[in-house]
Amino acid sequence: MSRQFSKIKESVASWSDIRQLLRGGEQGQLVPVVIPKDRRGFAWMTLIFIAVYCAGMAVLTDLTVVAALAAAFFLVVGLIWMWRRAIIEIEEGTTGVRSHWGAITGTLSPGRHYLWLPWDRVDAVVDTSTEIPYSAPIVASPTAENVPLKSIEFFLKFRIVDPVAFVRTIGAGNFDLVLSSAVQDAIRQRSRRVNTERAYDLRGSDVGDMQDALNRQLGRYGVRITGANIPDLQLPDTYQAHLSTREKVAKELSAYEREWELTRKRRIDTLLMEIERSKKTRDARVVEVKAAHNTARKDVARMLEEQATEAQRVRWEIEARGRAELTSAENEAKALRRLADSYRDNRAVLQYELARRRLDVGAKLAESAPQPLVVRTQQGTGDSALSTLLLAQLLPRFSANGNGQAPTA
């Protein structure tokens, strides 16, 4: 594992070397800031003065045409020179920091710019789009049990988001010292919260809290941490030997667990086969039961049909018998009605026959009835002695004859 910190520096270079330094660094060191050499000067003023001198000669001497042409030539060459020196090209992904008489006045975006005045300069070209990798190995970082870890490697990526604040506040060289110190402090704080036996858990662990803490510390410098992780660490040799023994035991335990897993799977497969066989037997029995059930249903259905047929036959017999009895009763009722009609029709005959019989009975009774004796007395008088005497004589006779009838007065 590498034990060297990443180094950050700033370099002074010509405009043609800025791209190489920002992208590839210098001698293995990171170069996020390049101070360009000012290639502008006042040499073009010499050509302007020569052009003015030639223009004066064209006015004061006889070499008018030659001097005028020379003045025009030097003037054009001086203006072209000044135009070329005023061009500033900022590469894509970088930002130029502009100054006026040494005071920072703003930034220049990627593209072509013109700085006509010699006191307008580009103090620095800052890489603001690339995520710069930074590696910081930490030696002898103690754990929660105060066991110093052999080394911890911390890797992060940062990006310069405010080039003016970065250049004005700290600069690349000072930022390297501040970043390495902040990273060491953050890693030592993290290792203090971890037990030695779980130190390997730091590899690839979540370091979002460390990233947030570094962003809070470095945010005022115009830098933002975009990613961080702990790719590797090393324990002390003695503790590593202890862990090797534990790993050996763990491997043996893992081997036993795998063997037990295979045995368990084999037993599970056997049980599954038995279960499948039982399922097939159960399915066969279910088919038999279903067949018996269907047969029973058919028998029950046939029996129900027979009983329904028998019930229908009995019902029809009862209905036929009832209809016959009903017909007989109806016929008898009709006969009775007809007889009643006949009796009603023969009522007069019967009454006549009754009257005739009454007359016959009356005649017979009249023939056998006693004859009345009428004793006439004087009308208007009461009982006489003669009538009383006669009655006294006649009554015993009537009593002897047994008629029991009294004579009529």
Side-chain angles (χ1 to χ4, degrees), residues 108-262:
L108 298 176
S109 59
R112 174 174 289 187
H113 303 274
Y114 294 94
L115 300 180
W116 300 103
L117 301 178
W119 46 84
D120 284 341
R121 298 182 56 188
V122 177
D123 278 355
V125 177
V126 184
D127 188 354
T128 56
S129 64
T130 304
E131 292 184 346
I132 302 172
Y134 186 85
S135 177
I138 311 301
V139 181
S141 179
T143 61
E145 293 89 353
N146 204 23
V147 176
L149 299 177
K150 194 172 183 180
S151 62
I152 300 178
E153 184 176 356
F154 186 75
F155 177 80
L156 60 85
K157 297 181 294 182
F158 69 91
R159 187 164 65 88
I160 301 173
V161 296
D162 189 349
V164 175
F166 185 80
V167 173
R168 179 187 295 169
T169 306
I170 190 169
N174 295 328
F175 178 73
D176 180 61
L177 297 176
V178 172
L179 180 59
S180 62
S181 176
V183 168
Q184 292 185 54
D185 183 61
I187 292 178
R188 286 190 171 91
Q189 289 182 7
R190 169 56 68 88
S191 64
R192 278 291 187 182
R193 299 198 298 267
V194 178
N195 295 327
T196 308
E197 61 181 6
R198 301 181 62 86
Y200 280 128
D201 293 343
L202 289 174
R203 292 184 296 186
S205 62
D206 184 14
V207 292
D209 54 343
M210 298 175 61
Q211 181 176 338
D212 295 338
L214 291 174
N215 276 324
R216 287 192 297 270
Q217 295 180 22
L218 305 177
R220 60 178 178 271
Y221 303 130
V223 176
R224 182 166 62 87
I225 307 298
T226 59
N229 68 338
I230 300 176
D232 195 11
L233 61 87
Q234 289 185 359
L235 296 173
D237 295 337
T238 56
Y239 200 84
Q240 195 166 1
H242 173 66
L243 286 182
S244 299
T245 304
R246 292 184 60 183
E247 289 180 357
K248 182 179 179 180
V249 173
K251 289 181 180 178
E252 292 179 356
L253 179 61
S254 177
Y256 285 128
E257 288 179 352
R258 286 196 297 270
E259 184 178 358
W260 164 246
E261 186 69 21
L262 292 175

Side-chain angles (χ1 to χ4, degrees), residues 20 22 76 201 252 266 270 349 360 372-373 384 391 398 407 409:
Q20 178 64 29
L22 292 178
V76 170
D201 293 343
E252 292 179 356
R266 191 181 305 111
T270 303
V349 177
D360 293 340
L373 177 65
S384 64
L391 287 172
F398 291 121

Side-chain angles (χ1 to χ4, degrees), residues 241-344:
H242 173 66
L243 286 182
S244 299
T245 304
R246 292 184 60 183
E247 289 180 357
K248 182 179 179 180
V249 173
K251 289 181 180 178
E252 292 179 356
L253 179 61
S254 177
Y256 285 128
E257 288 179 352
R258 286 196 297 270
E259 184 178 358
W260 164 246
E261 186 69 21
L262 292 175
T263 304
R264 188 176 66 86
K265 287 183 177 179
R266 191 181 305 111
R267 292 180 180 177
I268 290 175
D269 293 339
T270 303
L271 291 176
L272 290 177
M273 292 176 63
E274 293 293 334
I275 290 172
E276 291 296 329
R277 189 178 299 109
S278 300
K279 286 183 178 179
K280 291 180 180 179
T281 305
R282 184 199 62 184
D283 294 338
R285 292 182 179 178
V286 167
V287 171
E288 294 177 358
V289 170
K290 287 183 177 180
H293 179 67
N294 294 330
T295 304
R297 289 181 62 184
K298 291 179 181 179
D299 294 339
V300 170
R302 183 168 56 254
M303 183 180 65
L304 290 177
E305 289 179 357
E306 292 176 356
Q307 291 181 357
T309 304
E310 183 66 20
Q312 185 71 18
R313 184 184 63 78
V314 171
R315 186 172 65 84
W316 285 347
E317 289 180 356
I318 293 172
E319 288 180 356
R321 192 181 301 115
R323 282 195 297 267
E325 292 178 357
L326 179 61
T327 303
S328 176
E330 288 178 352
N331 294 332
E332 186 177 358
K334 288 180 180 180
L336 291 175
R337 280 197 301 270
R338 290 173 182 173
L339 181 60
D341 292 340
S342 298
Y343 286 162
R344 189 178 58 250

